[in-house]
Amino acid sequence: MSLLAEEDTVQAHLGLRWVPGFSELGPAFFTSLRPTPLPAPYWVGHSDPLARALGLPPDWRTDEALAGLTGNVQIAGTSPLATVYSGHQFGVWAGQLGDGRAILLGEIDTGWELQLKGAGRTPYSRMGDGRAVLRSSIREFLCSEAVHALGIPTTRALCVTGSDAPVVREEIETAAVVTRAAPSFVRFGHFEHFAAANRVDELRALADFVIDRFYPACRHDARFEHFGGNAYAAFLEAVSERTAALMAQWQSVGFCHGVMNTDNMSILGLTIDYGPFQFLDGFDPRHICNHSDTGGRYAYNQQPNVAYWNLFCLAQALLPLIGVQEVAVAALQSYKTVFPDAYEARMRAKLGLPASAPDDRALVEGVLKLLAQEKVDYTIFWRRLADHKAGGDPHAVRDLFLDRTGIDTWLSAFAERHARVPAAQAAQSMRQANPKFVLRNHLGQQAIEAAQRKDFSGVATLLKLLESPFEDHAGHEAYAGFPPDWASTIEISCSS
Ligand code: AMP
Ligand code: MG
């Protein structure tokens, strides 16, 4: 079979309609290249809901699709490329970075871009090998779909394919490729790249591209009229507000990203680049999930401030387009109200309160203080509180605390606040706001270890639970239980 025929066959199996997208920006923004093949690939995991959203046929997981999505055969109609970006890493300007191991296949007509992460070296790989290991690929795959199911904006993951090709990290591991999907993978760092090099024409082209596609309201909406038609200032404000809303969601579910460098900040306010992330087990506001983050720059309670710091970097980058420094600074101001308002609304939802009341903040702060005092399991506490509201055993909540007086006082205040809220409605909405299943480190680890032995059933089971995290899933209680002691010894670093 000729190469062209193979390309066409893969495309025919996937049936995707490719359209021009990021590549229209021109060669200043990327390098065209081909993925590097991996030997004897196999399926590790896949997301049916995303496959449907992308418009793939029901039987899409053919050998041809496997070859195409591992990067072994180019898919006809795609023009693979790696994009260039820069960024601040751990608070320091890191210069040029770029897609060192992610290759953008292109965009399809339903508005999704597809990217192969771990598909080989690119001109931006620096010292890296262009690969991703099975361990981190499974984590990214499961967490993308889990975060989506929690209702939090995120890049998605269609599948993971693996290969026995060795990859050197702290130990020898094996290679994998994640097929990621998002409306755009543009990061704050893409803007910083062109701003740092004083390439204002490219900076403007990129901003116009993103505004036209994703923020068209910035050009005309009355909401932005205080900027007097300055679409770039409006754009900065809109990105800042989406980022604020994202932080509120992360904080409310206890999600720690782990590496909030500006190159890992999505211009669309999506959760992006899952590395050393973690869902909190015991509630510790100062929790650091990234073993490499010795200073705790990206600790759980730092995330909203770090996002704001990152937005300042974006503002700096957009300054040549915005024109006046005061205007750029003004565009960031709403973060300071949007974040706390959004966070309070999220926490109110967790408490089952449909409308706000003056004491709500004290109620939230009160319970978080109690949780922090004893590092009570964050997910289990909230779910038990929801179950309690639904008529379940109140002791299940109290039993989580040694400080019984403290929790009893708080539960009385909670009950008093609920006196004016219909109970059935509150119980129902609390179960929709407090997940039973989150991707805890130890759950991911168990699925990974089985997958390393070529048993992929653990990945599939976990995915099923995480796809509907608010449902009860009878028979799967173990996945919703306390983490075992060894969970706290898992060390997740940037090595992936
Ligand atoms: P991260 O913090 O993992 O998002 O990655 C930071 C930068 O390092 C990005 O430019 C990545 O593309 C690059 N990178 C990370 N791992 C590798 C790798 N194994 N090979 C090539 N580039 C990599
Ligand atoms: Mg990254």
Side-chain angles (χ1 to χ4, degrees):
M1 198 193 292
S2 77
L3 193 60
L4 186 66
E6 243 183 322
E7 290 185 4
D8 287 334
T9 313
V10 174
Q11 166 57 16
H13 278 252
L14 292 169
L16 298 169
R17 286 179 295 272
W18 300 93
V19 297
F22 188 91
S23 61
E24 280 191 319
L25 278 166
F29 295 84
F30 58 83
T31 302
S32 294
L33 77 179
R34 279 174 177 248
T36 310
L38 279 169
Y42 40 82
W43 296 104
V44 172
H46 70 279
S47 161
D48 285 323
L50 181 58
R52 283 193 292 275
L54 295 175
L56 289 165
D59 54 353
W60 63 279
R61 284 185 311 121
T62 60
D63 288 349
E64 287 77 5
L66 177 63
L69 296 176
T70 306
N72 291 1
V73 177
Q74 188 167 319
I75 303 170
T78 66
S79 328
L81 58 88
T83 74
V84 63
Y85 54 79
S86 295
H88 283 83
Q89 297 188 317
F90 290 89
V92 178
W93 177 244
Q96 180 179 307
L97 302 164
D99 294 326
R101 52 178 173 169
I103 296 181
L104 184 68
L105 293 178
E107 181 174 328
I108 58 174
D109 63 347
T110 42
W112 294 90
E113 284 187 348
L114 293 185
Q115 205 189 49
L116 302 183
K117 180 169 178 179
R121 288 181 57 87
T122 78
Y124 316 110
S125 298
R126 298 174 293 150
M127 304 300 284
D129 56 9
R131 291 301 180 192
V133 297
L134 180 66
R135 163 178 58 85
S136 61
S137 301
I138 290 174
R139 280 171 54 86
E140 168 141 25
F141 167 68
L142 288 174
C143 204
S144 305
E145 294 308 283
V147 166
H148 170 72
L150 289 169
I152 303 177
T154 178
T155 62
R156 304 285 303 274
L158 173 66
C159 59
V160 179
T161 63
S163 162
D164 289 346
V167 176
V168 181
R169 295 293 180 261
E170 276 84 4
E171 299 169 1
I172 306 278
E173 301 190 47
T174 60
V177 175
V178 188
T179 301
R180 303 201 292 190
S184 171
F185 289 95
V186 171
R187 301 138 192 274
F188 291 9
H190 281 97
F191 293 89
E192 291 180 277
H193 180 76
F194 295 102
N198 225 348
R199 291 163 68 179
V200 179
D201 289 345
E202 283 99 342
L203 182 67
R204 183 174 291 108
L206 182 63
D208 286 341
F209 174 84
V210 174
I211 292 171
D212 288 345
R213 290 176 154 238
F214 306 108
Y215 292 93
C218 291
R219 298 214 191 275
H220 50 73
D221 200 295
R223 190 160 88 76
F224 297 113
E225 69 189 9
H226 52 288
F227 291 120
N230 188 332
Y232 303 111
F235 170 51
L236 179 60
E237 184 174 87
V239 174
S240 155
E241 291 182 5
R242 279 203 203 179
T243 307
L246 181 69
M247 290 308 115
Q249 290 191 288
W250 284 4
Q251 297 309 105
S252 73
V253 295
F255 177 77
C256 309
H257 181 281
V259 208
M260 287 178 66
N261 294 332
T262 57
D263 54 300
N264 289 339
M265 295 293 293
S266 153
I267 203 70
L268 301 186
L270 308 173
T271 313
I272 191 170
D273 280 13
Y274 292 88
F277 69 82
Q278 186 181 5
F279 283 87
L280 292 177
D281 291 320
F283 183 69
D284 175 4
R286 288 180 299 198
H287 184 69
I288 304 163
C289 67
N290 180 354
H291 194 63
S292 320
D293 181 11
T294 44
R297 179 180 173 84
Y298 299 136
Y300 166 75
N301 65 357
Q302 294 304 307
Q303 296 186 129
N305 286 338
V306 166
Y308 192 55
W309 191 94
N310 289 341
L311 283 159
F312 260 92
C313 293
L314 179 65
Q316 186 73 42
L318 293 175
L319 194 53
L321 307 181
I322 294 173
V324 183
Q325 185 156 350
E326 287 70 31
V327 177
V329 171
L332 297 178
Q333 291 316 299
S334 62
Y335 186 93
K336 293 181 194 158
T337 48
V338 172
F339 169 72
D341 288 353
Y343 176 68
E344 216 171 290
R346 292 276 151 197
M347 297 311 281
R348 237 186 357 258
K350 290 177 85 65
L351 288 164
L353 301 171
S356 68
D359 288 346
D360 289 348
R361 183 168 294 188
L363 202 61
V364 171
E365 282 171 4
V367 78
L368 292 183
K369 193 161 164 239
L370 287 171
L371 292 170
Q373 255 168 32
E374 299 177 37
K375 294 201 172 57
V376 172
D377 191 278
Y378 189 71
T379 305
I380 291 179
F381 166 76
W382 287 106
R383 188 70 179 186
R384 285 195 186 180
L385 190 68
D387 289 343
H388 160 51
K389 193 69 207 164
D393 182 6
H395 291 291
V397 177
R398 295 182 77 232
D399 288 351
L400 292 168
F401 297 83
L402 290 173
D403 178 4
R404 294 292 164 91
T405 319
I407 189 62
D408 283 344
T409 309
W410 186 86
L411 283 170
S412 313
F414 175 69
E416 206 173 293
R417 177 69 177 85
H418 266 277
R420 288 159 280 149
V421 180
Q425 192 188 322
Q428 177 60 23
S429 65
M430 283 178 80
R431 287 164 68 83
Q432 293 308 310
N434 295 302
K436 180 168 177 177
F437 299 96
V438 294
L439 181 56
R440 295 177 189 263
N441 267 350
H442 76 279
L443 296 175
Q445 189 60 27
Q446 284 164 335
I448 289 163
E449 284 171 20
Q452 286 167 337
R453 299 188 302 267
K454 296 270 164 58
D455 172 2
F456 305 121
S457 63
V459 173
T461 305
L462 200 44
L463 180 65
K464 271 277 155 290
L465 302 174
L466 296 171
E467 278 174 351
S468 48
F470 303 104
E471 303 299 315
D472 269 325
H473 296 283
H476 289 95
E477 300 306 320
Y479 291 84
F482 290 100
D485 286 343
W486 60 266
S488 62
T489 66
I490 300 173
E491 288 179 359
I492 309 281
S493 69
C494 284
S495 163
S496 61

